[in-house]
Amino acid sequence: MMFLWAMLVGVHCAAIGYKKLIALRILLGFTEGCITPGIMLITSMFYTRTEMGERVGWTFQCNGIAQIISGFIAFGAYHTPTRTPLSLPENHGKVAQWQWFMIIIALLTLAVCIAFAAFFPDSPTKAKFLTQEDKVIAIKRIRVNQAGVETKKWKNYQFIEALRDPKGWIFMLFAILANFVGGIGIQYSLIIKDMGFTVLETTLLNIPSGGIMVITVTFSMWMLHRYPNARGWISVLSYIPSIISVILLITLPDNRVGLLIAFYCIQFGNTPAVVLSLSWITTTTSGHTKKLTQHAMWLIGYSVGQMVAPQWWKNEYKPRNRVPWGIILTSYCCQVVILLFLRWYLNQRNVTRDAGAANATTEEEKEKYSEYGWIEVPINDAAVEGQESPVEDEKHTTSEKKTKRVRVEKRFLDLTDFENLSFRY
């Protein structure tokens, strides 16, 4: 998918016209859609719950780093000779400024794709840089996640369970509202330009927001490291500077420096909450298929938010865009309510399970809440009982498989969080 992503970015250079560009953007969305859930799943196979949130944050810091790098690339492309697009006959093969930008980004993406294919493992068992002993240790250390390791089998019942789990829909609703702010990303340069800056100044003024993203995500991950079970509270607190910033953008007089500073400060909130929500799904969901499904639901919400967000950035609201800012302010307040409710809801699940485990009296009830379960393992009659095998049947000869029950930790099985009552959210 990363290879297709690189190719599609490069093909933008040859696409002239709305229809071609919209088709490429749709295809680009298809290739991008699997990247985030893939990273989340692989991260959950290598790191514990606490480590996972930090690693996801470090990964998403790269969005800020990329914004800084792309800002400088755009600035450099702006200084290339002004040309018409490459595909136009009158251009005689000369490359336009925006085409240089696309070519450079495509080549960088291709380089990352090659490095990823060569060195990045999809599970601890396939990590070439680990010895067999290291692989066993890597798998055992994530047992606290109670989520098992990778399985290639798709389980329909886990898919249905994921759809019936209210938690997945709450995360999806959060993703929709959180990406209402996505219209800012799409309109970023235009918003800054409307404040009274030139095109060249606007190109450079895109860069600081990337730096702010890196700083805020770093601080949030530091907070998560100190308070591992406080994802909800950290996310909620991160919205305070964003809410204040939007209020300032609505109420400040026409002072472009003040408006620009308030605009930058928006990055202090929404981004950390989105990053933490991704790791929150991973750490509160068990079962490979269920986890895939709930990540997909989050991404569907993300996509819906991104599609809706640009619709209210209209010319009639310029230059101050008070209506879009009002909508974003409302969405921020709704996100805070959702995060607080989600934290309460998951805590209630833990309280219910703790009470069930404490009140279990019969062996059957205790078994349900135990960290151990039973699996059927085939055994060899000849090896175990000294008898010959296969066994003759009256109708036909078959190798009768006998099994024995083996007690194992549930966290190593591909059980969902509904099936494993020792799982805690």
Side-chain angles (χ1 to χ4, degrees):
M1 284 298 180
M2 289 179 69
F3 176 77
L4 290 175
W5 192 350
M7 294 299 101
L8 288 168
V9 171
V11 171
H12 275 69
C13 297
I16 305 299
Y18 176 79
K19 292 181 180 179
K20 294 178 181 178
L21 285 171
I22 197 66
L24 280 174
R25 299 302 294 176
I26 291 171
L27 292 173
L28 200 62
F30 284 138
T31 58
E32 183 184 356
C34 67
I35 302 297
T36 300
I39 291 174
M40 296 304 103
L41 283 171
I42 294 172
T43 303
S44 68
M45 295 175 195
F46 282 90
Y47 299 104
T48 63
R49 286 188 176 194
T50 303
E51 296 168 341
M52 203 185 307
E54 297 172 45
R55 269 60 178 187
V56 170
W58 295 348
T59 301
F60 273 81
Q61 279 181 338
C62 296
N63 286 338
I65 295 170
Q67 193 167 335
I68 294 170
I69 295 172
S70 64
F72 283 112
I73 293 173
F75 182 74
Y78 183 84
H79 285 82
T80 58
T82 304
R83 307 291 187 190
T84 52
L86 179 63
S87 60
L88 297 181
E90 62 269 25
N91 193 39
H92 305 295
K94 295 176 182 177
V95 182
Q97 294 169 331
W98 66 270
Q99 288 176 320
W100 275 120
F101 180 81
M102 288 296 182
I103 290 169
I104 294 168
I105 297 299
L107 291 174
L108 289 174
T109 306
L110 183 60
V112 172
C113 172
I114 294 170
F116 199 92
F119 303 110
F120 199 86
D122 57 3
S123 73
T125 59
K126 296 180 181 178
K128 296 178 182 178
F129 53 84
L130 297 177
T131 64
Q132 286 301 118
E133 184 180 355
D134 290 338
K135 291 176 183 178
V136 173
I137 295 171
I139 293 172
K140 284 185 175 180
R141 70 185 296 274
I142 62 166
R143 60 187 177 184
V144 294
N145 297 349
Q146 301 189 31
V149 292
E150 180 193 31
T151 174
K152 299 295 185 182
K153 185 177 180 181
W154 175 268
K155 298 181 179 179
N156 289 329
Y157 84 91
Q158 289 194 13
F159 171 74
I160 294 170
E161 182 180 306
L163 297 179
R164 290 178 176 175
D165 188 350
K167 167 172 61 70
W169 295 103
I170 296 171
F171 275 118
M172 184 177 178
L173 177 60
F174 171 79
I176 293 172
L177 292 175
N179 282 281
F180 276 7
V181 76
I184 297 175
I186 297 168
Q187 303 285 332
Y188 205 96
S189 297
L190 295 177
I191 293 171
I192 294 177
K193 189 178 178 182
D194 286 340
M195 293 177 184
F197 296 96
T198 65
V199 175
L200 182 58
E201 289 173 335
T202 299
T203 303
L204 288 174
L205 289 171
N206 280 329
I207 296 172
S209 63
I212 292 172
M213 186 185 298
V214 172
I215 293 169
T216 54
V217 173
T218 301
F219 179 74
S220 299
M221 295 309 105
W222 176 77
M223 291 289 290
L224 181 63
H225 181 77
R226 292 199 62 183
Y227 308 102
N229 293 321
R231 282 181 175 84
W233 293 120
I234 296 170
S235 298
V236 168
L237 291 174
S238 73
Y239 276 98
I240 294 174
S242 290
I243 290 173
I244 294 172
S245 297
V246 175
I247 292 172
L248 290 174
L249 285 166
I250 295 172
T251 59
L252 277 177
D254 292 330
N255 182 307
R256 67 177 190 172
V257 176
L259 291 172
L260 184 62
I261 293 172
F263 185 54
Y264 283 150
C265 288
I266 286 179
Q267 297 288 348
F268 282 111
N270 182 260
T271 304
V274 170
V275 172
L276 288 168
S277 73
L278 280 167
S279 63
W280 207 357
I281 295 173
T282 304
T283 57
T284 57
T285 309
S286 183
H288 192 74
T289 303
K290 183 175 181 179
K291 198 177 295 184
L292 277 172
T293 305
Q294 295 215 328
H295 275 301
M297 292 169 69
W298 188 96
L299 281 169
I300 290 170
Y302 174 93
S303 302
V304 171
Q306 289 284 349
M307 287 189 292
V308 172
Q311 306 310 315
W312 46 70
W313 294 91
K314 299 180 179 179
N315 289 331
E316 60 195 88
Y317 303 135
K318 290 184 177 183
R320 292 300 302 272
N321 295 302
R322 285 189 172 90
V323 171
W325 292 130
I327 294 171
I328 288 173
L329 177 60
T330 304
S331 76
Y332 280 158
C333 295
C334 292
Q335 289 165 56
V336 169
V337 173
I338 290 171
L339 289 169
L340 291 173
F341 174 78
L342 184 60
R343 192 185 190 286
W344 172 84
Y345 178 70
L346 294 176
N347 185 61
Q348 287 301 112
R349 285 190 177 183
N350 287 340
V351 169
T352 301
R353 293 190 176 197
D354 289 341
N359 297 326
T361 54
T362 66
E363 286 301 317
E364 184 179 354
E365 289 176 341
K366 291 179 181 179
E367 195 71 33
K368 286 181 181 179
Y369 293 96
S370 170
E371 294 183 0
Y372 292 86
W374 297 92
I375 59 171
E376 300 287 336
V377 177
I379 59 174
N380 189 312
D381 282 347
V384 177
E385 301 176 11
Q387 298 176 358
E388 297 204 5
S389 179
V391 177
E392 181 94 12
D393 188 89
E394 291 183 359
K395 295 184 179 179
H396 54 276
T397 301
T398 61
S399 297
E400 290 187 0
K401 291 185 179 179
K402 291 192 175 182
T403 61
K404 64 177 179 179
R405 297 182 75 203
V406 177
R407 193 168 174 80
V408 297
E409 292 184 70
K410 291 178 181 178
R411 63 190 73 189
F412 289 131
L413 304 177
D414 188 31
L415 300 177
T416 68
D417 47 284
F418 281 8
E419 293 175 300
N420 180 9
L421 295 182
S422 66
F423 184 93
R424 292 297 181 269
Y425 297 94

